[in-house]
Every structure is written in C-alpha cells, then in structure tokens.
Amino acid sequence: MSLLGGIRPPIAVLSVLLLSLAAITALGLGRTAQDRVPEAVLTSQQQFAEDGAIALRASIDESFTDLGRTAGLFNAADPVSPDAVLDKISSVYQKWTGTAVVEISSGKLLAARGENVPLAAIDTTKLSGKDALGPRMVKLANGETRLLSFALLSWPGAPQQLLVASSNLRFPGISLGQFRSIAVIDADADILSSDGIPQPEQLLTDTQRADAKRADKQLKSFAKTASVKVRQHPMSAKEPGSGGFPGVSGSLLGSLHTGDRSVAGYASLAGVQPGEPTVATGLGLSVVAMVAVAENPTAAAGPFFGLVAAGALVVVGALAVALLLGTVQRPLIRLFLESRRLTRGDLTRPVSVPSYGEAARIGNSLERLRRQLLGEDRSAEPPRRGRFGTRGLILVCGVLVLAWCGPMLLLLNRADDTAVVPQQLVNDQRERTDTLTDRVRRALNEGQADLLSVATLIGAGTSPADMRTVLERTRLEHDRYQSLYVVDASGKVVAHAGDTPHEPVGKPSGAQPIRVLNDSGKKPVIVGQAGIPGRDGATVVGEFRIDLLNGLLKRPGLGQINIVDDKQRIIGGNTGYRAFQELPGERLRTLVTGTNQKTGVSMHPSGILYRDGGKVQIAAAAPFVGGGAAKTLGWTVVSRQPASSLAIPEYRRQNLTVLAGLLGMAAAIACLGWLHIIVVRPLRALADQAEALAGGERRTVLYPRHHDEVGAVTRSLELVRQQLPAQQKREPAPTAPTTYAERT
C-alpha cells in the first residue's frame, strides 16, 4: 500500500488535525487572564515615538541641508557682507535659535543674530578634516543642549568664513495632548530635551510637585532601558513580519500609581530607507514618549468558552471519524478481504456484502461473480443499487465538522457591540493625526521658503542660463518639486527645470504663496511661488510632487488618511483615492466641519469613536494651524480606521475564534477532499466496472489506479475476469422427462 494513498492516511490526518485544533482552541481561547493594558495601547505608544523620531530626524536633516544649500547659493553669487548673509537667512528661515559668521583664519566673530552661539566649542583650526563640518551637540552652562550646523562661505580673493547655526533638540510640531511627555536621549541615556513634564516654577501644590517628581523619575527609568534596547540591530530587534519603521522601536511598561500604568514607546533616529544613514542618524539620538494609561480591572476572560469549544470539536471530530471508519473504511477493507478470498478459489461461503454505497454495489457484484464461478448464470440478474453512496457519507462528515466551524466563523464571540475601546487609542489617533498635519504643513512651508531663498538670491541681474542652473541645482537637492520655473510679469516662462510647467499663461496670482491650480483632473497641481526682488513682477514658481504629500501620510496605525481642502474635497491620501472627490461618509464630513470651527482663538484637532451598523470606527481630524504660507490653504487631515484592526482583547478573541473556524474548515476540506479524490472517485468507477463484469462484460481489462485498497480490489476483479469463460453463455442443464403412473 502507498503511504499517501489508501483510505487510512486521510482519516488519520483528519483525526490529528482536529485534535490539534481542539488543543489550540483550548489554549488560545481559554486564557484565564488578559493584559490590563491592551496590546493596542502599547503599539500606539511605540508608533507615537516613531512619529517623534521621524519628525526630529527630518528636522535635523532639513536644517543641515538648508544651511549648506543657502551657503552654496551665496557662494555662487557676488560677495556680500556677513550681516547681509544673516539678514537674508533670518528673513527666509525661522528654524534656528541663533546664527553667526566667523572668520576661519582668525576666529573672529563677524556677525551674529538670535541667541548667543557657543563659539567656544568650535575649533576653527580643525575644519579641514573628514566630517569636520558635520553637526555636533554642545551642552550649555544651564544644562540645555544645542545642535550646531556648519557651512562654508567662500568667495575668490576673500578669507573663508564659517556660517554657524544653532538649534535646540525640541520636536517640531509634535502634539502631546494631556498627560504625555516626550524626551530626546543620547546613547548614554542622558535626557537632552524633554517636554510635557511641568517645570518646578509651574507647580503650585505639593501633590503636583510629587506627581512631577514621580513622572520625571519614571521617564529617566524608561530612558535608561530604551538606551540599551536601541543598540540592537533593527533586523534582530523586530518581530518577524513587523515593518514600516526602519529603525529600532518598541514599548515599555512602567509602574502603577492610583490605577494608572505608565507606558512608553521608544524609537531610534533612522534614515528614510533601512541601511541609509543621514546626518541626524549619526548623532546617536533616540526618542522616548511616556503616558499614564488607566488599567481596566475587569479585563479578564475565563477558560470556559475555550474548553467548551474544544470539547465540542472533540465530540464532533469523534463522530465524523467514527462515521468514516464504520461506513467507509471497514466496508472497503472487508471487500478487499472478500475479493482476495475469491481469487484464491474459496467459493463455498457467500460474500459478506456491506450495507451502504459503492461498497454494497461491489459486494453484490462479487457475490454474483462467485456464483458464476460456481457455474450458475447470474449475469442477467439486475444489480442492486443503494440509495446512499460513499460521497454522501463524506458529505455528512463534512457537515458535522462545519456544524462546529459555522458558529465559530459567524456567531460566537462577536465583538462589534461589546468591544471596549480604550480612550487612550482615540486620544492617540487625534494627536498623531495632528502631528501628521503639522508635518505636511511644514513640508509645504519649507518648500515655499526654499523658493523665497532662490528668488532672493537670483536678484535682478541673473541671466536665464544662470537661472536655469540655480533651478536645476535646487530641484536636484530637494525631491519635493516636479518642476521649477521663473515667470516674468507677462506670464512668460523665462527659465525652467524639470517637467513642463502647468502655470497658465498670464500674470501669476500673488494672493496666495501656495495654491492649487486646478479643481478637477486625475491629480491636483500644487504650486508655491515667491517674487524676485528687483525684477518688476517676476516670480519663481515650484510645482510640488503630490507623491511627496502622499508619502508623508504613510504612517502605520492610523488607517486610511486623506488631505481635504476647505470644500472637503480629497487632495491626497495614503491609499487609492480619486482627486477632488467629496469626503465619504456624513460622519466624517461633520467631524471636519466641527474641527474647523474656532474654539477660543484657534481651531483644534478632534477625535471620535462611533458605532455604525455594528462596526466600530475611530476617526480624527486636524486642520492646518500655525504660521507659514500653507496655513492659507485651509486644508484638513482626516484619518479613520476600524477598531477591529487594533489589538483589543475583544477583537483578539473574535479573531482567534474566526481563525479556529477557518482552520477547522480547512482541515475538513483538505482531508475529505483528499479522501474523495483518492478513494471515493476510484471506488465509484470500480463499482460501475464490477457491475458490468458481473453483467457479462468480459472484454474490458481492469487496471488499478492506485496501489491501495481500491486498487487491490480492482486487481482481484481482474483475476476473477480471467477465470470466467469469455463471452460464453451457459445453456440450462437438461431435465429428465416427466413420467406419469398408469391408473389402475
């Protein structure tokens, strides 16, 4: 017999799979306790820290790039005074706390703006080495840390000058909400900057001071643990199948105080792509975000459901296997033994005929063939056909297993009406959406600031060829533009770099520095512009790549994200969308309308949890607030995701229940399908051949399909066929004449 053929392997595999599934069901759904802090909350804190790390890395890299690019544009133009350099930088960028120009040869300070730059930490005699102009961190006397960026100012015939910019390590545009704190730490777990924990002078009561002291102590403990964990390699630190963030990140559990558990997320600064370092990633910085989460004291699930479901599966599986053994396997093995007996010439005992299906048909045929071998003509006798075949028995077994799988898939442990979604998840959705909104707004503002810098440096005497060189260099240094061009007062394109301009002929509008040119089509055309001083109305125009904005929205854990304009038409998104389509759903449109209403002096982000038709959704909206040219767009970022996609205990039990039902269905379909292909179909064909042979068909040679029980019966029938006289009809035996007694 073949190891994979025959009737025994499918039934044995089905038994093993159902017993294994029963054990998995009992263990998976029979947990005696659940985590007091849901896994979804821990994952959300991890993703919050990742958002902070991404924002900080982008800010540091952008600052370093902008300073170097600005210095390069100054170097390509005519020499200007140090004060003029700093004045132009200050008018375009407001990201640095202090700037200065130092003469390299003498170390003399030539000009300064903003707060005092710690020049004592700069050794101008060691600026020729490798990475000498890389950014460095300097700790001030008051304990604060400053990040210094450098660039060279060099003109022919003039001494080289060093352009220095100082910035703090605070997060740009991170929305913390209430009761959350965030910190930047170095490789030694020292906190370089923090936000969210009140300073001593802000506290009024002893209780507030004790809470702040406890929070500060907990944050330092998290920082110490996180500084060790981020030293791992990103590939070894991630769980199999996780991804999205190229660096090392995770979550931590802290102490419990008055029912609130301190939880934190941590993330290292990582490049845009794995294995691609940037200026910021070389600083060895990490981010730790901490928040206090209320524990759910009733979050417990007993083992009753898991044990009952596992017990029911054992009973159902036992019935199905017993049915297969009793009505399919045993009759087939009995046929195998009976057929071998006939081939050995043992014809004295009638064939034991099974009661059901094809086995009964074959058994009746064997009995007819036995009698034919004994010399009786039974070929004209009609075959006996059972009403219930082997295929029907297999179907009954499948129905038994599906009777357990169906409720698991469709009825049991439904969480849509009973799921408890922690409020912290709604808060995180709101704050992360607000942070994402600020990232988009800052990206547009940075783009318009670059255009303003280019326009300022082009000035009045630059030729079109030189304009094209400056535009091409700017486009290559920043991937945010798909096209850059200069338009004169009449609307004529004087110079351009990149794709063909979309700006219509005519004088560019000066009302909005950033605007959307079209209101229909496949994709929006977003442009920024800046007037060129001294050129009588000439303008530098840059068309933003819509892929840039869509790429900023690709953050895990926020679901579907869209940017909508002031008319609630979709401008961008992290998934497929139709440009300028109305925002779907009345609830979302109402949320956006309410979010754009001023509360006090400004608009504020909002989040909501709503149940619609048994489905639970978390949604948030955040409008463009803050300074910059992008504020006039009136855009709003909207995010929403189903609560079922989060690791909430109720949904976890529902998913495990559905998974158990799917596994049971897969096991039944696989094993019973295997049995049908290997056994039932050949058995049906053999029943037809056996009946034909018993009915007088002697010419057809019987070949076994498989080396199993059905194949063995087939071989036995072939031997019986060879023993029968071919195409010979036996005449009835003569009878003696009847005699009658004479009457006396």
Side-chain angles (χ1 to χ4, degrees):
M1 299 295 176
S2 175
L3 291 178
L4 295 180
I7 195 170
R8 293 181 178 89
I11 298 176
V13 171
L14 179 63
S15 303
V16 172
L17 290 179
L18 293 182
L19 285 175
S20 301
L21 180 58
I24 294 173
T25 302
L27 294 176
L29 295 175
R31 295 180 58 187
T32 57
Q34 296 174 350
D35 297 330
R36 297 295 180 90
V37 178
E39 183 181 350
V41 175
L42 298 178
T43 303
S44 182
Q45 307 319 308
Q46 175 182 347
Q47 292 168 345
F48 194 97
E50 293 174 357
D51 291 346
I54 291 173
L56 183 61
R57 188 266 308 158
S59 175
I60 294 175
D61 288 342
E62 187 75 24
S63 177
F64 180 78
T65 302
D66 286 343
L67 191 67
R69 187 186 59 81
T70 304
L73 293 176
F74 276 116
N75 294 334
D78 296 332
V80 294
S81 66
D83 286 308
V85 170
L86 297 185
D87 287 339
K88 289 185 177 181
I89 290 177
S90 300
S91 64
V92 175
Y93 299 106
Q94 289 79 39
K95 63 178 65 178
W96 294 297
T97 58
T99 54
V101 176
V102 180
E103 186 176 342
I104 294 179
S105 58
S106 63
K108 179 181 177 182
L109 176 64
L110 302 180
R113 296 292 186 275
E115 72 172 15
N116 293 331
V117 178
L119 300 177
I122 305 173
D123 189 353
T124 57
T125 63
K126 298 181 179 180
L127 295 178
S128 59
K130 183 180 179 180
D131 298 331
L133 294 180
R136 67 192 66 176
M137 293 182 294
V138 177
K139 183 164 288 189
L140 304 180
N142 60 359
E144 294 184 1
T145 301
R146 292 292 182 266
L147 179 65
L148 302 183
S149 301
F150 307 98
L152 287 178
L153 295 173
S154 179
W155 292 282
Q160 280 191 326
Q161 301 170 3
L162 183 66
L163 177 61
V164 186
S166 173
S167 59
N168 55 40
L169 290 175
R170 294 190 179 277
F171 296 92
I174 294 293
S175 178
L176 296 180
Q178 296 181 340
F179 313 116
R180 189 193 300 275
S181 57
I182 193 168
V184 181
I185 64 173
D186 60 13
D188 298 325
D190 293 332
I191 297 179
L192 305 181
S193 69
S194 64
D195 196 7
I197 298 179
Q199 298 299 317
E201 59 271 13
Q202 298 175 305
L203 303 174
L204 303 178
T205 64
D206 293 338
T207 302
Q208 292 177 342
R209 296 187 186 95
D211 291 341
K213 184 177 180 180
R214 188 182 302 104
D216 184 67
K217 181 180 179 181
Q218 182 65 76
L219 183 61
K220 290 180 179 179
S221 176
F222 281 142
K224 185 176 180 180
T225 304
S227 65
V228 176
K229 289 184 175 293
V230 296
R231 296 171 189 168
Q232 305 175 73
H233 191 276
M235 294 300 295
S236 61
K238 292 182 180 295
E239 296 180 357
S242 63
F245 184 69
V248 180
S249 62
S251 58
L252 301 170
L253 278 174
S255 60
L256 179 66
H257 178 68
T258 63
D260 292 340
R261 174 76 65 178
S262 296
V263 296
Y266 64 88
S268 63
L269 268 63
V272 179
Q273 298 296 332
E276 295 184 5
T278 66
V279 171
T281 59
L283 299 175
L285 302 178
S286 301
V287 174
V288 178
M290 180 183 73
V291 69
V293 178
E295 286 192 344
N296 185 4
T298 63
F304 179 75
F305 178 81
L307 295 178
V308 171
L313 180 58
V314 170
V315 173
V316 168
L319 290 175
V321 171
L323 182 61
L324 292 175
L325 292 175
T327 61
V328 181
Q329 177 175 310
R330 289 180 181 176
L332 183 56
I333 294 176
R334 188 190 309 166
L335 286 179
F336 165 65
L337 297 176
E338 292 291 335
S339 64
R340 289 189 61 183
R341 178 171 65 85
L342 296 184
T343 59
R344 292 196 303 266
D346 185 0
L347 306 177
T348 58
R349 193 171 68 252
V351 174
S352 177
V353 179
S355 304
Y356 303 100
E358 287 76 12
R361 294 170 56 191
I362 297 173
N364 288 326
S365 299
L366 286 175
E367 175 60 20
R368 293 168 61 194
L369 291 171
R370 184 187 71 85
R371 293 187 179 186
Q372 292 177 24
L373 290 173
L374 290 174
E376 301 178 15
D377 185 6
R378 312 287 292 188
S379 59
E381 182 179 337
R384 299 178 183 178
R385 294 182 177 270
R387 297 181 179 179
F388 205 70
T390 307
R391 187 163 53 184
L393 297 173
I394 299 295
L395 184 61
V396 170
C397 295
V399 170
L400 283 175
V401 179
L402 292 180
W404 182 87
C405 299
M408 299 288 283
L409 286 171
L410 304 174
L411 299 177
L412 301 176
N413 279 342
R414 300 295 93 184
D416 291 335
D417 297 329
T418 60
V420 178
V421 180
Q423 180 62 34
Q424 187 62 46
L425 294 179
V426 182
N427 297 341
D428 291 345
Q429 185 86 9
R430 180 187 65 238
E431 305 307 334
R432 293 188 64 205
T433 303
D434 191 25
T435 299
L436 195 58
T437 303
D438 192 79
R439 284 188 62 202
V440 176
R441 182 185 63 84
R442 286 178 180 271
L444 294 173
N445 286 343
E446 289 284 349
Q448 201 275 336
D450 291 337
L451 296 176
L452 184 59
S453 175
V454 171
T456 302
L457 294 174
I458 285 178
T462 306
S463 65
D466 292 337
M467 288 182 190
R468 191 176 301 108
T469 301
V470 173
L471 295 178
E472 188 64 34
R473 181 193 306 172
T474 303
R475 193 180 70 87
L476 293 176
E477 289 178 349
H478 297 282
D479 61 352
R480 61 169 60 99
Y481 306 107
Q482 66 180 8
S483 179
L484 283 168
Y485 45 95
V486 176
V487 182
D488 62 15
S490 64
K492 179 182 178 181
V493 176
V494 178
H496 90 277
D499 297 344
T500 303
H502 287 84
E503 179 70 50
V505 178
K507 185 176 180 180
S509 173
Q512 287 184 312
I514 301 178
R515 67 189 192 281
V516 181
L517 291 183
N518 57 334
D519 57 3
S520 63
K522 294 183 178 180
K523 61 172 62 177
V525 180
I526 306 168
V527 300
Q529 64 182 42
I532 302 177
R535 275 197 173 265
D536 193 20
T539 306
V540 176
V541 182
E543 296 181 5
F544 294 97
R545 292 191 306 108
I546 190 62
D547 294 340
L548 168 73
L549 299 182
N550 294 340
L552 294 176
L553 302 179
K554 293 185 181 297
R555 287 297 302 136
L558 285 176
Q560 187 174 354
I561 309 171
N562 288 115
I563 302 175
V564 298
D565 60 11
D566 54 352
K567 298 179 181 178
Q568 297 189 7
R569 299 176 303 179
I570 297 177
I571 301 297
N574 64 339
T575 57
Y577 66 94
R578 293 180 58 186
F580 304 106
Q581 186 182 29
E582 186 180 26
L583 190 66
E586 184 62 31
R587 286 179 178 269
L588 289 179
R589 292 193 289 270
T590 303
L591 176 64
V592 173
T593 301
T595 302
N596 282 274
Q597 301 296 323
K598 285 188 176 181
T599 303
V601 297
S602 179
M603 297 174 291
H604 299 279
S606 57
I608 187 174
L609 172 71
Y610 62 89
R611 303 176 188 268
D612 187 9
K615 296 182 179 180
V616 184
Q617 290 262 348
I618 301 176
F624 274 24
V625 295
K631 181 181 179 181
T632 59
L633 292 171
W635 288 357
T636 304
V637 176
V638 185
S639 66
R640 69 269 192 193
Q641 64 177 327
S644 58
S645 64
L646 304 174
I648 297 174
E650 290 83 356
Y651 285 109
R652 180 181 179 275
R653 287 175 61 82
Q654 174 179 312
N655 294 336
L656 288 176
T657 304
V658 172
L659 177 61
L662 289 175
L663 291 177
M665 182 180 296
I669 293 175
C671 295
L672 297 180
W674 179 10
L675 189 62
H676 182 268
I677 294 172
I678 298 298
V679 176
V680 176
R681 290 174 60 182
L683 190 62
R684 289 170 61 86
L686 179 60
D688 294 335
Q689 293 174 341
E691 289 177 345
L693 179 61
E697 172 59 46
R698 305 288 191 266
R699 295 181 180 180
T700 303
V701 179
L702 305 181
Y703 294 99
R705 296 186 181 183
H706 305 288
H707 297 288
D708 55 9
E709 295 87 355
V710 179
V713 176
T714 305
R715 288 192 296 270
S716 298
L717 286 174
E718 172 61 20
L719 294 176
V720 171
R721 185 190 71 85
Q722 295 174 7
Q723 296 175 14
L724 291 171
Q727 298 297 324
Q728 179 180 356
K729 295 184 178 180
R730 296 179 180 271
E731 296 293 337
T735 58
T738 305
T739 59
Y740 296 92
E742 293 183 356
R743 295 184 178 179
T744 58

